[in-house]
Amino acid sequence: NAGVTQTPKFRILKIGQSMTLQCTQDMNHNYMYWYRQDPGMGLKLIYYSVGAGITDKGEVPNGYNVSRSTTEDFPLRLELAAPSQTSVYFCASSLGDVTNYGYTFGSGTRLTVV
Amino acid sequence: DQQVKQNSPSLSVQEGRISILNCDYTNSMFDYFLWYKKYPAEGPTFLISISSIKDKNEDGRFTVFLNKSAKHLSLHIVPSQPGDSAVYFCAASASVTGGFKTIFGAGTRLFVKA
């Protein structure tokens, strides 16, 4: 049971480059999320999805885009990378009831923009 | 505007003693509170949660206490073990259309000394 899988684990981007962070889950969870964690800060919600074909903005969506064409996959796209996007990115999924089971997180992608 | 605050960046405890991690929140609309544990190079993992209608929830060595009037919750770990050394995130969830919105604190790094 793989859970939530994120690729790549590490990436260095130059300013202005673009990339896609991949996230896939095999638990048939409807809800998926993208968070970023900056040093000394809590996780900030970038985008979330309540099911295939449905996405919505979180707290810090600027500079990012997402799509949800299948239940399993929820890629995060950075179009014009900026140093402010240097962070650790976590993808998560849930059944919908996070109250008793919480989110299942991936192991993260550490992104550096130089 | 930090809606969920963990004011202690770190905590050091002797093995076998009690660890108490604290968390304060500002929004009375939160329905559930959760604690996550994070090891280096891994994603956070769900630990324990509590509904806003309760004041205590216990799971083995972990107990979460909620004081709604003070907008304060705490996680007690008894007895503490070296394997408990990790970063602990407090999170608060509120019902929104289509699911829940979760806000995370900045985390407290727990060191359990053998």
Side-chain angles (χ1 to χ4, degrees), chain B residues 6-8 15 17-18 20 22 24-25 29 36 46 54 56-57 65 67-68 86 89 95-97 102-103 106 108:
Chain B
Q6 294 178 258
N7 292 316
S8 298
E15 180 180 9
R17 308 294 283 267
I18 184 171
I20 300 177
N22 294 304
D24 297 296
Y25 62 96
M29 299 301 291
Y36 287 83
F46 171 71
K54 295 186 176 181
K56 177 182 175 182
N57 189 26
F65 295 93
N67 183 333
K68 285 187 67 177
F89 290 99
S95 300
V96 296
T97 303
T102 301
I103 306 293
T108 296

Side-chain angles (χ1 to χ4, degrees), chain A residues 17-56:
Chain A
Q17 286 186 320
S18 60
M19 76 164 294
T20 299
L21 282 69
Q22 301 292 344
C23 175
T24 187
Q25 52 94 6
D26 62 358
M27 298 171 287
N28 204 31
H29 286 174
N30 284 328
Y31 294 75
M32 295 189 75
Y33 315 84
W34 274 105
Y35 283 88
R36 59 177 286 174
Q37 185 190 11
D38 300 328
M41 305 292 287
L43 285 76
K44 300 285 188 184
L45 182 63
I46 305 171
Y47 271 94
Y48 67 100
S49 169
V50 301
I54 306 169
T55 63
D56 209 344

Side-chain angles (χ1 to χ4, degrees), chain B residues 71-88:
Chain B
K71 293 189 176 66
H72 176 85
L73 67 154
S74 60
L75 174 69
H76 293 210
I77 307 174
V78 183
S80 301
Q81 299 173 355
D84 295 329
S85 297
V87 177
Y88 290 79

Side-chain angles (χ1 to χ4, degrees), chain B residues 13-17 19 21 36-40 42 45 47 61-62 77 79-88 109-114:
Chain B
V13 171
Q14 197 69 36
E15 180 180 9
R17 308 294 283 267
S19 296
L21 296 97
Y36 287 83
K37 177 179 180 179
K38 184 184 180 303
Y39 291 118
E42 295 183 11
T45 55
L47 193 56
R61 295 186 298 114
F62 302 91
I77 307 174
S80 301
Q81 299 173 355
D84 295 329
S85 297
V87 177
Y88 290 79
R109 185 177 298 276
L110 174 65
F111 299 93
V112 180
K113 297 175 288 185

Side-chain angles (χ1 to χ4, degrees), chain A residues 31 37 42 98-100 102-103 105-106, chain B residues 32 34 36 43 46 49 98 102 105:
Chain A
Y31 294 75
Q37 185 190 11
V98 300
T99 59
N100 290 317
Y103 296 158
F105 282 88
Chain B
Y32 290 89
L34 307 95
Y36 287 83
F46 171 71
S49 64
T102 301

Side-chain angles (χ1 to χ4, degrees), chain B residues 48-62:
Chain B
I48 191 170
S49 64
I50 187 169
S51 163
S52 61
I53 63 173
K54 295 186 176 181
D55 55 17
K56 177 182 175 182
N57 189 26
E58 198 170 347
D59 183 3
R61 295 186 298 114
F62 302 91

Side-chain angles (χ1 to χ4, degrees), chain A residues 80-101:
Chain A
L80 291 170
S84 61
Q85 293 177 304
T86 293
S87 189
V88 181
Y89 291 82
F90 291 102
C91 178
S93 71
S94 71
L95 271 173
D97 178 8
V98 300
T99 59
N100 290 317
Y101 304 103

